[in-house]
Amino acid sequence: MKKIIELKNLKKHYPVHGGVLRRQTASVKALDGVDLDIYKGECIGLVGESGCGKTTLSKVIIRLCDSTSGKIILHTKKNGQSNLEDITKMSLRGMKKKGIRNKLQMVFQDPATSMNPRMLIKNIIAEPICEQQKISNIELEKRVVELLELVGLNRNHLLRYPHEFSGGQRQRIAVARAIATNPEFLILDEPTSALDVSVQAQILNLLNELRQRLNLTYMFVTHHLLVVKYISDRIAVMYLGKIVEICQTEELFNNPMHPYTYALLSGIPSTDFENKPQRIVLSGDVPSPLYPPKGCSFHTRCPFVIDDCKILEPSLLEVSEGHKSACHRKEEIQKLILDKFNINGFK
């Protein structure tokens, strides 16, 4: 498969200042060495607890904030040939001049706060189009109506304000704004978390339809494992600023290779009370990213910790084809989980 984005040892540290002179005393390690390849046409899910770095990773990729170190490589086409663009330190204006700003867009979690409440819907959707190209008013209105129809709305909604719509309709408008510039890559930051279950299903089906129709690539950020199972081709699991496991969706649910992944999956609600696996309750709280533990970042909560876990940081290595895990005991973790918790995968 063709890559569209490569992340190489990506880090984002926020400085902490203290003392009389307000000097930097420490750093919050929001991202601490993320390596990830995203392939064209796929939907990759990003899951993990609150504070693990999912939204920070999204903002760094989209260039809403700068990374501390590492690289973001965007695969583009120039004069019909493949081209690599290092956008790590590129400004939004610089990306616009090179014609690559329109290729990356984002749908935020809360559409009510991501839209200007004083702007009409037609202007909200038209704004990114006007920023990227010169277009007549007639063509602009035609394009805005076309986008509204793509997301299930119509011309009658043009002259309304965001507060006049329901949460699901506002999210449709946010999607229309995101695809207005014909992007190749779309980051979806928990786009269904604030919606009712029935509306969530409608938005997910809409996103799937648009991905096929417009040949889009998604990174879907969420806490909801059943949602990510439905929409994603691959899933990356994050913990304390690092990816600890990544593989195909079906493989992750049937054959997880990291104890943290097992703990997440065991919390999925189920109505099958007879065959429901035992819940894995992790001890303690997530360590502070200000002072992350040495060795494996998960060892303070892992039920299978050994001495190596406290000293050596595990690398994200391939266990089987397309399946990577960052665990010192990945080869035996399934047997350990089965013996202690009587869990053998999650169908």
Side-chain angles (χ1 to χ4, degrees), residues 246-298:
I246 181 169
C247 64
Q248 296 291 323
T249 300
E250 185 177 351
E251 172 74 4
L252 188 85
F253 278 81
N254 294 337
N255 191 29
M257 286 287 189
H258 196 282
Y260 178 63
T261 307
Y262 269 101
L264 288 179
L265 296 178
S266 71
I268 297 176
S270 174
T271 56
D272 187 359
F273 297 104
E274 293 183 2
N275 301 315
K276 183 179 178 180
Q278 180 182 342
R279 175 76 183 272
I280 300 176
V281 180
L282 299 175
S283 60
D285 297 322
V286 180
S288 169
L290 187 61
Y291 301 106
K294 294 182 180 179
C296 175
S297 57
F298 185 61

Side-chain angles (χ1 to χ4, degrees), residues 1-277:
M1 294 178 67
K2 181 185 175 183
K3 293 179 186 177
I4 187 169
I5 286 180
E6 291 180 66
L7 308 181
K8 298 182 178 180
N9 196 28
L10 197 63
K11 296 182 180 181
K12 176 60 178 176
H13 297 174
Y14 293 98
V16 176
H17 298 91
V20 178
L21 299 178
R22 304 298 297 168
R23 292 175 177 170
Q24 182 176 340
T25 57
S27 295
V28 175
K29 298 175 176 62
L31 296 177
D32 201 19
V34 173
D35 292 291
L36 181 64
D37 294 335
I38 301 174
Y39 297 94
K40 188 169 180 61
E42 76 167 346
C43 175
I44 182 166
L46 194 62
V47 300
E49 293 173 282
S50 295
C52 70
K54 303 187 300 295
T55 299
T56 300
L57 180 61
S58 303
K59 289 181 177 180
V60 169
I61 293 174
I62 210 74
R63 300 297 300 118
L64 292 181
C65 62
D66 293 327
S67 60
T68 303
S69 63
K71 285 190 175 184
I72 306 169
I73 306 298
L74 178 65
H75 291 242
T76 63
K77 278 193 173 182
K78 194 172 184 179
N79 300 325
Q81 296 189 358
S82 297
N83 185 49
L84 302 182
E85 290 281 1
D86 185 353
I87 63 172
T88 314
K89 299 297 181 182
M90 198 178 291
S91 66
L92 296 181
R93 181 172 293 182
M95 292 172 67
K96 181 181 176 181
K97 285 182 179 179
K98 287 204 169 188
I100 59 177
R101 181 68 189 95
N102 60 334
K103 298 180 186 297
L104 309 174
Q105 294 295 332
M106 187 169 180
V107 177
F108 296 91
Q109 180 175 356
D110 186 1
T113 57
S114 65
M115 296 180 192
N116 189 332
R118 298 183 178 182
M119 289 179 67
L120 294 170
I121 296 306
K122 69 170 186 177
N123 295 328
I124 288 174
I125 299 176
E127 187 175 26
I129 302 174
C130 296
E131 281 290 318
Q132 298 295 333
Q133 57 181 301
K134 292 182 179 180
I135 186 171
S136 68
N137 290 336
I138 295 176
E139 291 178 338
L140 181 61
E141 183 174 340
K142 182 179 178 182
R143 174 61 175 157
V144 170
V145 172
E146 179 186 322
L147 289 165
L148 283 175
E149 290 175 348
L150 269 176
V151 298
L153 300 175
N154 56 57
R155 180 183 290 272
N156 297 329
H157 298 111
L158 284 174
L159 301 178
R160 298 185 188 179
Y161 292 94
H163 73 270
E164 298 180 69
F165 294 89
S166 66
Q169 288 176 319
R170 281 197 291 262
Q171 199 60 284
R172 289 174 184 270
I173 294 165
V175 172
R177 178 178 61 179
I179 64 174
T181 60
N182 297 316
E184 295 181 14
F185 179 64
L186 209 59
I187 294 179
L188 306 163
D189 187 10
E190 302 190 48
T192 61
S193 63
L195 307 177
D196 294 336
V197 175
S198 59
V199 180
Q200 284 185 25
Q202 295 172 16
I203 297 298
L204 291 174
N205 290 333
L206 170 66
L207 291 171
N208 269 333
E209 180 184 337
L210 290 176
R211 179 160 69 110
Q212 300 297 326
R213 187 169 180 175
L214 304 177
N215 194 25
L216 294 170
T217 304
Y218 291 159
M219 187 172 83
F220 196 97
V221 179
T222 184
H223 289 98
H224 202 311
L225 290 166
L226 293 181
V227 168
V228 82
K229 182 181 182 180
Y230 173 75
I231 197 170
S232 298
D233 302 309
R234 288 192 302 151
I235 298 177
V237 182
M238 284 194 74
Y239 184 81
L240 211 63
K242 301 175 183 177
I243 292 177
V244 296
E245 185 167 9
I246 181 169
C247 64
Q248 296 291 323
T249 300
E250 185 177 351
E251 172 74 4
L252 188 85
F253 278 81
N254 294 337
N255 191 29
M257 286 287 189
H258 196 282
Y260 178 63
T261 307
Y262 269 101
L264 288 179
L265 296 178
S266 71
I268 297 176
S270 174
T271 56
D272 187 359
F273 297 104
E274 293 183 2
N275 301 315
K276 183 179 178 180

